Amino acid sequence: MGAKKPALHFVRRQVARILRQVLAGNTQHRALASIKSLVYKPSIVAKKATLALICNTLKYLPVIKDIVHSVGLLQGRKNKGQDELFYVLTHDLLFEQEILPSGKEEIFVLSRKAALRAAFVRLMMKKNVTEIDGLLPTESRQLQSCDIPRYVRVNTLQITVDEALEKLEELGAKVDELLPDLLVLPPGTDLHDHSLVLQGSIFLQSKASCIPAHVLSPDPDWEVLDACASPGNKTVHLAALMKGKGRVTACELHKKRLQVLQDTVKRAGANNIQVKHQDFLKLDPNASDYRKVRAILLDPSCSGSGTTVQRMDHLLPVANDDPEFQHDAQRIDRLASFQKAALCHALSFPAVERVVYSTCSVNQRENEDVVQSVLEHARSHKFKLGTVLPNWPHRGLPVFDGAQHLLRTDALRDKTDGFFVALFVRERSQTFEQQRKRKSSEIEERKTKRKKKKQKKLN
């Protein structure tokens, strides 16, 4: 018990600091940093307990605030900087977690224990519910109960899929049915400190995020351009699909993000990637460095509205106050203008055969509308829309003829991030369909071999 007191005391204050940082983004209708990125900083200890407590406190924060203010818990207190700690302590009190008098804040909350619990009961009676989840909005309950599997992409530059599967099989890992280099583990599996992650043999990457590189499907000897590359997960995925051959040029305009990109490339051991501190829109398609580029991956800045669950932005109070909190019209219009300009520029490279445009957004304005706006320009350069993963059941919104070629993913429905993917294929390229069929055949062959190997092991 002696070790438990200071541990809880410290974790709660750590959670309160993170909560303060997260709530600071409310005025911008966006978290200043994702909850996970704040929790998984090197300075944070007891990460699993910290993540659980911050998520649960945020989940029930509207209820907690209602109760705290109804009993005047924060009134008359001089140090307003401790509000978040009182929210955390009230959370633990409501959920009957042990609170010991290890600090003056704990002592004060314990002195108001009866009043806080009575206020909770009154609120439940007022709302005519029998459990605390009944106090949450329906949409919020759906998102918060969305158990997304832990996906990990195998970095085949360092390790084979079968080798990774063998090392992670005891954790329940299975090979994804759609993407052959992706492993699926149970929701909540924590691999952040796993040796395979630290050495770059596997990457913690959502299923949706792995789709664009697979759709681009560059040949090993090609020259490929990743237009907006940081943090680099898709960049190193391309390098792996090319078996470490050819060349991937990765562009990143922002200096801080450039360092993240370089770190990712180094960790992956991808020697066929050339990182450039460069604005993609200022590249000359006819310059000697780019006139042989055969494929371009364009995953530009977007609203990120599809990563709500992954970032845990749906836990922010502003999301409960305004369900459209990420859909600020002016911001979306600015992003869409940049996205359209970048896509037109990508289609202007003389030797390019395939361009993949993807976003982690669910907004039509950034997705179907952008694609539709460049169709005439695309046709002038002999491009047409290719069908993205034909077997995927969920297509683009039917807002123009051809939207059935596009792909959408949804967090609740597909148990991954909300993503949008479009593929442009130059009509003079006759090999794309043959390459797609060949790769599908190779995937099926690997699946068959894996099943036979598993059966042999069982026998």
Side-chain angles (χ1 to χ4, degrees), residues 192-234:
H192 286 83
D193 294 325
H194 197 284
S195 59
L196 291 180
V197 173
L198 299 177
Q199 67 196 27
S201 295
I202 61 173
F203 279 78
L204 305 180
Q205 190 170 350
S206 76
K207 180 173 182 173
S209 176
C210 293
I211 291 175
H214 273 289
V215 173
L216 191 63
S217 191
D219 280 7
D221 62 343
W222 277 15
E223 290 199 20
V224 178
L225 185 59
D226 189 350
C228 306
S230 188
N233 288 342
K234 297 181 186 68

Side-chain angles (χ1 to χ4, degrees), residues 84-127:
E84 293 80 13
L85 180 55
F86 285 109
Y87 296 148
V88 174
L89 289 167
T90 301
H91 164 275
D92 280 2
L93 186 72
L94 296 180
F95 285 90
E96 300 184 352
Q97 300 298 313
E98 184 180 21
I99 298 179
L100 300 171
S102 57
K104 60 182 181 181
E105 291 82 9
E106 282 84 352
I107 293 171
F108 181 72
V109 169
L110 285 170
S111 72
R112 305 299 304 276
K113 179 178 178 178
L116 288 165
R117 287 193 169 164
F120 177 45
V121 172
R122 286 196 300 272
L123 184 60
M124 297 274 281
M125 293 176 63
K126 179 181 177 181
K127 299 291 185 179

Side-chain angles (χ1 to χ4, degrees), residues 316-380:
L316 297 176
V318 70
N320 295 319
D321 296 339
D322 177 9
E324 301 297 318
F325 77 107
Q326 293 185 344
H327 295 219
D328 178 77
Q330 291 184 341
R331 177 171 174 256
I332 298 298
D333 282 343
R334 287 194 300 270
L335 286 166
S337 294
F338 166 72
Q339 292 154 357
K340 177 183 176 181
L343 184 50
C344 284
H345 191 54
L347 295 167
S348 69
F349 283 68
V352 163
E353 296 185 24
R354 299 203 285 276
V355 174
V356 163
Y357 171 73
S358 64
T359 73
C360 53
S361 170
V362 296
N363 298 330
Q364 177 185 325
R365 182 75 182 88
E366 298 177 88
N367 297 332
E368 288 85 358
D369 290 357
V370 168
V371 171
Q372 185 178 19
S373 72
V374 305
L375 286 179
E376 186 175 342
H377 177 80
R379 283 191 287 267
S380 71

Side-chain angles (χ1 to χ4, degrees), residues 172-417:
K174 297 179 180 178
V175 179
D176 183 73
E177 287 294 318
L178 180 68
L179 306 179
D181 55 0
L182 190 68
L183 301 183
V184 187
L185 291 93
T189 304
D190 186 5
L191 296 170
H192 286 83
D193 294 325
H194 197 284
S195 59
L196 291 180
V197 173
L198 299 177
Q199 67 196 27
S201 295
I202 61 173
F203 279 78
L204 305 180
Q205 190 170 350
S206 76
K207 180 173 182 173
S209 176
C210 293
I211 291 175
H214 273 289
V215 173
L216 191 63
S217 191
D219 280 7
D221 62 343
W222 277 15
E223 290 199 20
V224 178
L225 185 59
D226 189 350
C228 306
S230 188
N233 288 342
K234 297 181 186 68
T235 316
V236 298
H237 192 187
L238 288 171
L241 291 172
M242 295 167 68
K243 301 177 182 178
K245 301 176 182 178
R247 182 175 69 173
V248 180
T249 300
C251 294
E252 178 52 51
L253 173 60
H254 302 287
K255 195 169 183 179
K256 287 184 179 179
R257 290 173 60 82
L258 183 75
Q259 183 61 56
V260 175
L261 171 61
Q262 289 171 332
D263 292 343
T264 302
V265 171
K266 183 178 179 181
R267 183 159 56 93
N271 297 321
N272 60 333
I273 295 176
Q274 180 182 14
V275 175
K276 289 200 172 184
H277 186 198
Q278 180 72 54
D279 182 350
F280 170 67
L281 286 175
K282 293 182 179 178
L283 297 184
D284 179 2
N286 294 302
S288 58
D289 284 349
Y290 309 112
R291 63 188 177 204
K292 293 183 180 179
V293 169
R294 303 279 293 280
I296 295 178
L297 177 60
L298 175 62
D299 189 75
S301 298
C302 71
S303 64
S305 53
T307 61
T308 297
V309 175
Q310 181 196 33
R311 284 179 54 93
M312 301 179 181
D313 286 350
H314 62 289
L315 296 174
L316 297 176
V318 70
N320 295 319
D321 296 339
D322 177 9
E324 301 297 318
F325 77 107
Q326 293 185 344
H327 295 219
D328 178 77
Q330 291 184 341
R331 177 171 174 256
I332 298 298
D333 282 343
R334 287 194 300 270
L335 286 166
S337 294
F338 166 72
Q339 292 154 357
K340 177 183 176 181
L343 184 50
C344 284
H345 191 54
L347 295 167
S348 69
F349 283 68
V352 163
E353 296 185 24
R354 299 203 285 276
V355 174
V356 163
Y357 171 73
S358 64
T359 73
C360 53
S361 170
V362 296
N363 298 330
Q364 177 185 325
R365 182 75 182 88
E366 298 177 88
N367 297 332
E368 288 85 358
D369 290 357
V370 168
V371 171
Q372 185 178 19
S373 72
V374 305
L375 286 179
E376 186 175 342
H377 177 80
R379 283 191 287 267
S380 71
H381 287 274
K382 307 299 182 185
F383 282 96
K384 64 179 181 180
L385 286 173
T387 303
V388 178
L389 299 184
N391 294 330
W392 187 263
H394 310 297
R395 315 312 303 178
L397 300 177
V399 294
F400 68 90
D401 185 27
Q404 70 275 11
H405 295 295
L406 313 174
L407 175 147
R408 273 180 172 265
T409 65
D410 176 82
L412 288 174
R413 181 190 63 210
D414 303 317
K415 303 298 183 183
T416 185
D417 292 336

Side-chain angles (χ1 to χ4, degrees), residues 6-22 38-51 53-54 82 84-85 88 106:
L8 284 171
H9 180 92
F10 184 78
V11 167
R12 284 171 179 146
R13 280 152 181 78
Q14 192 169 247
V15 168
R17 289 194 297 271
I18 295 172
L19 182 60
R20 192 175 306 121
Q21 288 178 270
V22 169
L38 292 171
V39 170
Y40 285 105
K41 282 184 175 181
S43 59
I44 300 297
V45 300
K47 290 180 172 59
K48 188 174 182 179
T50 299
L51 181 62
L53 183 52
I54 185 69
Q82 292 298 311
E84 293 80 13
L85 180 55
V88 174
E106 282 84 352

